[in-house]
Amino acid sequence: MYKWNTAKRSRRPVSSVTARPGHPPSAVGTDTSEVTGDCFALSLFSRCELCPPTYGSTAAALPSQESGGLCLSIEKQDLTGVTLWESLYLFTSFAVCRDNLNATACQVLVNIVVMNAFSSSSKAFQLYSSISSSNEFLPPVIYSAVSQLGSTAPTTLSYQRNAKMQFRLVKYDVRGNFLGWETMKGDTLQMCRSAQNALDAALEFGTIYNLSCSLPVSDLFQKVPEPVFYELFLLYTSTSGAAMLWPVPVWNANIQGSDGILGSRALRRFFLLDGISDRRVNLSSVPASVTVATSLTLRCRHDQRPSPHNELLPSSAGTNHLTSSLTGCTCRSAPEQRAPRPADRTLRQAESAGGGTGNPPVSFAVTYAQSQGTFKRDTDITLAVLGSLAALLAILETSTWLRRSGQQSIGIMVIIKFLAFLCGTLANTFFLVAYGIAVYWLIAFKGQTSVVSVTLPPSGGQVETDFIIYLSVAFSLKALELIHLLVSQLTYNIFLIDWEKPKDKSPSSVPGKSNVSFWRTILVANEWNEIQAHRKLSPLLQLFLVLLLLEVVGLKNIATKDLNLDLHPSAGGYQAPMSIILRFGMAASMWLAVGIVQVLFFIFIFERFFEDKIKQFVDLCVLSATLIYVSVFILTHKCYGYYIHGRSVHGQADVSMEAMLDHLRKEEENLCPLRGLEPGSEVQTFEVLLSERCAGAVREDHAAPHGGNGDPAAPRGPKGGNDKNPMLQQRIKTYYTINRFLSCFLEHVYKDMDYLVKDKLFLESVLDVEFQQPIDRSILYTDDRFRFSRTLFYSNELVLLLFDTLLFCVIDLGTQNFVLATIITFVVQTFVKILRSEIGRKNLSMQTMVEENFLI
């Protein structure tokens, strides 16, 4: 029996290192133990000698067995299912550690257990477990309980902004030798290559870090030529000023949750790469497989409770302050069948024979978890309260719609309207909640200037999942609200009342015809057509400014998962991943800010000093009644609508230039009555609430232009029109009938369908309701705020602004690209505008009898 040995056969101390939770680095020292007989050596030795009869004196009755270069008096072991490395050193290290209390042998045994930690029933762990716990040289593999760490956690630990966490590593080689202590740097445990300052960013407290790459096996072996085993500790300063160590437990994701003790306990030791376990021919051959820590994640548990010094206190309930997670994979390569070659050459051959599996993906990440406390509860309460208010508002809007539509019972249409109103109010609710969450984290996390007391919620966690749900629901409901708005505006009834009287007092020879010029009606229809899709802001300018702020100015860089506020971070530094919550908060804030500034500028500056299209239209109908002499009557509901009075006090508008100038002079010198609907009044814009009888008369007259059945798709006949087209003649006749009925109604001709003019109560104006029902007489409410613009995009800017905001942010949420989101948002905005303009023009043409060819 022979052994390989280069050491003298003498007694010598063997070093080992143990780390105890809560002890300062000076307390982690060097222990010694004496070994009877030969020194335990696990290396490739240089010469062959005759073995002694036994190793040690306690097993003299057993036959000698050669294992790992030692002659041991142990029973013959079953080598089935063990690797070459284990067949050489597993039973040797077990026997020498158990019987001879050799610290190096115990370290080797622990290393083999860790290399097999992907299985909770490995033979190495079985042998390890059979050794008595009284063996002080046997390092522990697992932590006995999670509470063990919680009870020894630092009581005062806080980090300033941009401070780095300090870690220390204990290192052992595969042969059990203690390699010393090492200060952890950014590249210590990271196998991916990058700039040093980018790698060091992983240790900045509060920075969510993630770096991944795919590396050839040869590059991995250059980084870790032989397995190195680590134990990780957090270095901190105690209240007395002493430097202390706190152990960082290791969770192996491959066995976590499985049966057995390894699946439920945290490990103490880990490695990055194992290329020695699966060497099958000899220890110099190419390994058949390589085990790599493909995913190394350092999880920091950040708990907070009140403290007079505003310090961060780890939970004392047994929660680990810092945890790390290892996920291993096996990267297969072809076994080497020929004579050993230099390591780099054989590794390259193994990669080429590996069928594309020789480039394993590896990653290193740092994540943070913090108890949200009452955040979830507060969010749910806010959502419940706002949701209840939204439902009440939807009920109020539905009740108002019922009264304005003259509905006496609840039917399917009422339910549809209620759901449509509910979609709008709930969309605003979910948007407010989602936006509130984003702004809260944006301020609470990014606004920290001294002690870091808040960390971002983890990706895929409850907070982020709820946020995505709220945002998605808000966008979906807002899209439904926009569809409801379009359908409503594209089906309004609008009538243009021409007050001009025929110059020829004799009755027309042909019924349904008039010699009054129709061009004034065409002019008003064109002006209305131009303002249908008019908005208080420029969508194109909105997109340009938002993209400029986010991309060029660099405000998007504030949404990263770190405490960095640099708008233009350095190219060589680490770019933390974007937080979808912070990204939405920044994008939505910029969109709303630019939109609000545009609206304010439009209302207070542009409309006041340059051009106000809504007021210009009112001026066209009202102030220029001397010239136009046309009123506008709009019905948005069966019994509700708006009226713009455009009747001239001079009796005619089709006059000569001299007469027109004379009329204007009289108005300037107050030599004629006021232009208002009522004598002595100048109010010419009204909200109209019709009685049931009056609304029925309008509906009855209005049914005739559509073939008697109200079908808007009824054909108009040839474009040119002639006396032989009965449909066209019927439409023309009905046009004059409605014109005559409405003009007579406004002149108080029908005593049984009369009306009164009054002001709305303050509460009615605030709630946008009418408390008084028109039973016998209709009601015209004075309107000095141009509420008729609600039938246009102009007064629905909030709906459009929020829809554009949500559309832009949802697209960015899915693509993480502001430029693409801008392009798609512009396309959708253009489509909505074209849809509103084109269908609105067709509806206007159908209602006013003005051919589309005249609407430009």
Side-chain angles (χ1 to χ4, degrees):
M1 189 70 63
Y2 293 89
K3 73 172 182 178
W4 296 97
N5 190 11
T6 58
K8 296 181 179 179
R9 298 181 184 178
S10 60
R11 300 163 61 94
R12 75 171 187 179
V14 182
S15 63
S16 76
V17 175
T18 58
R20 298 177 177 85
H23 284 220
S26 59
V28 183
T30 302
D31 298 333
T32 60
S33 61
E34 296 181 353
V35 180
T36 304
D38 292 322
C39 173
F40 179 72
L42 295 176
S43 59
L44 299 178
F45 302 101
S46 58
R47 60 192 179 88
C48 183
E49 298 179 5
L50 183 66
C51 285
T54 62
Y55 185 89
S57 58
T58 58
L62 296 176
S64 298
Q65 301 290 336
E66 191 275 335
S67 178
L70 295 178
C71 299
L72 303 173
S73 299
I74 58 175
E75 296 179 356
K76 187 173 182 179
Q77 301 295 327
D78 182 13
L79 302 180
T80 304
V82 299
T83 65
L84 175 62
W85 179 265
E86 293 174 350
S87 67
L88 292 175
Y89 302 118
L90 173 60
F91 302 105
T92 304
S93 59
F94 163 70
V96 176
C97 175
R98 181 193 60 183
D99 300 334
N100 301 94
L101 304 181
N102 185 282
T104 307
C106 294
Q107 295 289 351
V108 173
L109 178 60
V110 170
N111 290 342
I112 296 177
V113 172
V114 173
M115 284 192 291
N116 287 273
F118 298 98
S119 172
S120 59
S121 59
S122 65
K123 183 169 296 185
F125 185 71
Q126 294 175 1
L127 293 175
Y128 172 87
S129 302
S130 65
I131 299 179
S132 173
S133 59
S134 61
N135 188 337
E136 61 177 334
F137 298 101
L138 182 65
V141 175
I142 60 177
Y143 292 101
S144 59
V146 178
S147 59
Q148 176 186 359
L149 291 178
S151 60
T152 61
T155 55
T156 55
L157 179 61
S158 62
Y159 289 96
Q160 299 291 323
R161 181 186 178 92
N162 297 327
K164 292 185 181 297
M165 296 179 288
Q166 301 295 324
F167 290 99
R168 297 293 185 268
L169 290 164
V170 177
K171 299 170 59 177
Y172 301 90
D173 66 6
V174 70
R175 297 167 179 81
N177 297 316
F178 171 59
L179 301 180
W181 288 88
E182 180 179 348
T183 299
M184 180 177 171
K185 299 180 180 179
D187 59 346
T188 303
L189 299 179
Q190 299 191 60
M191 290 180 280
C192 295
R193 298 187 180 95
S194 185
Q196 186 62 43
N197 59 343
L199 297 175
D200 290 340
L203 302 180
E204 289 186 7
F205 188 78
T207 298
I208 297 179
Y209 183 90
N210 191 358
L211 182 64
S212 60
C213 61
S214 295
L215 294 176
V217 175
S218 58
D219 290 353
L220 294 176
F221 271 91
Q222 290 179 3
K223 176 74 175 180
V224 188
E226 285 190 351
V228 177
F229 297 85
Y230 303 93
E231 292 185 17
L232 185 61
F233 298 86
L234 174 67
L235 178 65
Y236 68 98
T237 303
S238 66
T239 54
S240 61
M244 306 292 289
L245 290 177
W246 196 67
V248 178
V250 179
W251 290 97
N252 191 327
N254 285 14
I255 63 171
Q256 188 174 354
S258 62
D259 296 335
I261 190 171
L262 287 181
S264 59
R265 300 288 178 83
L267 301 175
R268 289 177 175 264
R269 193 171 295 189
F270 66 96
F271 62 93
L272 299 180
L273 183 141
D274 174 19
I276 201 171
S277 294
D278 209 12
R279 298 179 187 265
R280 298 179 179 179
V281 179
N282 53 59
L283 295 182
S284 300
S285 64
V286 175
S289 64
V290 176
T291 304
V292 183
T294 56
S295 177
L296 184 64
T297 303
L298 182 66
R299 291 191 173 96
C300 303
R301 178 70 181 179
H302 186 196
D303 292 330
Q304 181 181 10
R305 61 174 182 257
S307 170
H309 303 289
N310 193 26
E311 295 169 328
L312 301 183
L313 307 175
S315 171
S316 60
T319 304
N320 297 335
H321 182 69
L322 294 170
T323 62
S324 64
S325 175
L326 285 171
T327 302
C329 80
T330 301
C331 306
R332 296 289 175 182
S333 58
E336 182 65 45
Q337 301 293 338
R338 289 168 284 184
R341 294 177 172 84
D344 57 344
R345 184 178 179 185
T346 57
L347 284 174
R348 286 196 298 270
Q349 290 178 352
E351 292 172 18
S352 62
T357 59
N359 296 331
V362 294
S363 66
F364 183 88
V366 180
T367 62
Y368 294 84
Q370 183 176 12
S371 175
Q372 303 303 328
T374 61
F375 182 83
K376 171 66 174 174
R377 184 197 65 187
D378 295 342
T379 303
D380 292 342
I381 292 175
T382 303
L383 187 62
V385 172
L386 294 180
S388 301
L389 294 177
L392 292 177
L393 183 57
I395 293 174
L396 178 62
E397 291 180 341
T398 306
S399 175
T400 303
W401 180 87
L402 271 172
R403 290 193 299 271
R404 292 175 176 178
S405 300
Q407 295 280 352
Q408 302 297 329
S409 60
I410 298 178
I412 184 64
M413 194 61 190
V414 178
I415 297 176
I416 293 175
K417 280 293 181 178
F418 170 73
L419 294 177
F421 294 135
L422 186 62
C423 285
T425 55
L426 285 181
N428 296 336
T429 296
F430 280 102
F431 173 78
L432 286 176
V433 173
Y435 184 64
I437 292 174
V439 171
Y440 166 78
W441 287 111
L442 193 61
I443 296 175
F445 178 68
K446 287 289 188 175
Q448 300 176 101
T449 57
S450 55
V451 176
V452 180
S453 58
V454 176
T455 58
L456 284 176
S459 299
Q462 185 67 41
V463 174
E464 189 172 282
T465 302
D466 291 345
F467 171 79
I468 295 175
I469 293 174
Y470 297 155
L471 187 59
S472 302
V473 172
F475 172 71
S476 301
L477 295 178
K478 186 58 68 173
L480 293 177
E481 184 186 12
L482 179 61
I483 294 174
H484 174 247
L485 175 66
L486 289 173
V487 172
S488 300
Q489 290 196 356
L490 295 176
T491 55
Y492 290 157
N493 294 323
I494 179 171
F495 309 102
L496 301 181
I497 306 171
D498 192 349
W499 295 96
E500 185 74 8
K501 302 298 182 182
K503 293 182 179 180
D504 186 3
K505 299 299 181 181
S506 60
S508 177
S509 59
V510 181
K513 288 189 175 182
S514 174
N515 56 8
V516 175
S517 174
F518 192 63
W519 286 104
R520 290 172 294 103
T521 302
I522 293 177
L523 176 61
V524 174
N526 269 286
E527 292 299 322
W528 180 266
N529 184 58
E530 289 182 7
I531 63 175
Q532 287 193 92
H534 178 59
R535 295 182 58 176
K536 295 179 182 178
L537 56 80
S538 170
L540 190 60
L541 180 61
Q542 176 84 10
L543 290 168
F544 172 76
L545 292 178
V546 171
L547 191 62
L548 179 70
L549 291 172
L550 293 175
E551 291 289 346
V552 180
V553 177
L555 291 177
K556 71 174 185 178
N557 294 315
I558 298 179
T560 53
K561 294 182 178 180
D562 56 16
L563 296 172
N564 187 13
L565 293 176
D566 292 339
L567 298 182
H568 299 282
S570 59
Y574 172 71
Q575 292 284 351
M578 290 286 181
S579 167
I580 62 173
I581 297 179
L582 300 185
R583 192 177 176 94
F584 169 78
M586 184 56 60
S589 297
M590 291 301 100
W591 192 281
L592 293 177
V594 172
I596 292 173
V597 169
Q598 274 206 85
V599 171
L600 294 177
F601 174 82
F602 188 81
I603 293 175
F604 293 105
I605 297 179
F606 187 82
E607 287 187 337
R608 178 169 296 184
F609 299 105
F610 296 96
E611 183 183 26
D612 186 349
K613 289 189 175 182
I614 301 301
K615 194 172 184 300
Q616 285 178 353
F617 179 79
V618 175
D619 292 342
L620 178 69
C621 300
V622 178
L623 300 180
S624 299
T626 303
L627 305 176
I628 303 301
Y629 213 30
V630 174
S631 297
V632 180
F633 195 94
I634 308 168
L635 281 180
T636 59
H637 302 71
K638 174 185 175 182
C639 301
Y640 179 82
Y642 305 94
Y643 174 63
I644 304 174
H645 186 58
R647 184 178 183 181
S648 174
V649 296
H650 304 289
Q652 281 189 330
D654 190 7
V655 296
S656 64
M657 181 179 294
E658 292 79 3
M660 180 188 66
L661 294 175
D662 184 61
H663 293 165
L664 293 176
R665 181 186 59 80
K666 289 181 179 180
E667 290 187 21
E668 185 178 359
E669 297 176 358
N670 294 325
L671 299 177
C672 59
L674 298 178
R675 293 175 175 177
L677 177 62
E678 293 293 296
S681 172
E682 290 185 342
V683 179
Q684 293 180 279
T685 54
F686 303 89
E687 292 182 71
V688 179
L689 190 60
L690 299 177
S691 64
E692 184 66 29
R693 178 179 295 181
C694 185
V698 174
R699 186 171 62 255
E700 182 180 348
D701 291 339
H702 186 248
H706 310 293
N709 57 4
D711 181 12
R716 296 188 180 188
K719 284 187 177 182
N722 52 62
D723 295 341
K724 297 181 180 180
N725 188 339
M727 181 64 67
L728 181 59
Q729 292 301 316
Q730 180 64 32
R731 291 174 58 83
I732 294 175
K733 180 179 178 180
T734 305
Y735 167 76
Y736 287 116
T737 301
I738 293 178
N739 190 87
R740 183 169 57 253
F741 170 79
L742 291 177
S743 60
C744 291
F745 166 73
L746 294 170
E747 289 180 323
H748 300 278
V749 173
Y750 305 114
K751 299 304 179 181
D752 57 341
M753 291 185 291
D754 202 0
Y755 67 90
L756 60 89
V757 179
K758 60 180 298 186
D759 295 331
K760 262 192 172 183
L761 301 175
F762 174 76
L763 190 58
E764 287 180 321
S765 299
V766 172
L767 299 179
D768 189 25
V769 298
E770 297 80 32
F771 296 149
Q772 183 178 353
Q773 284 294 98
I775 305 301
D776 298 325
R777 293 190 298 174
S778 301
I779 304 175
L780 269 64
Y781 295 99
T782 57
D783 176 23
D784 56 354
R785 298 173 59 185
F786 301 156
R787 288 189 175 91
F788 74 89
S789 59
R790 295 175 181 174
T791 61
L792 312 170
F793 269 179
Y794 181 84
S795 288
N796 293 278
E797 191 59 60
L798 179 61
V799 176
L800 298 172
L801 179 63
L802 292 183
F803 173 77
D804 292 343
T805 304
L806 289 168
L807 175 64
F808 180 82
C809 294
V810 166
I811 295 173
D812 176 70
L813 178 66
T815 63
Q816 295 292 290
N817 190 325
F818 285 127
V819 177
L820 181 59
T822 300
I823 296 174
I824 296 178
T825 302
F826 173 74
V827 172
V828 174
Q829 286 178 336
T830 305
F831 172 76
V832 172
K833 182 178 180 179
I834 293 176
L835 186 68
R836 176 65 179 87
S837 300
E838 292 300 318
I839 301 181
R841 184 171 65 174
K842 292 181 180 295
N843 181 64
L844 178 63
S845 174
M846 180 182 64
Q847 301 290 342
T848 61
M849 288 297 297
V850 177
E851 287 290 338
E852 291 186 50
N853 297 335
F854 296 106
L855 299 176
I856 56 177

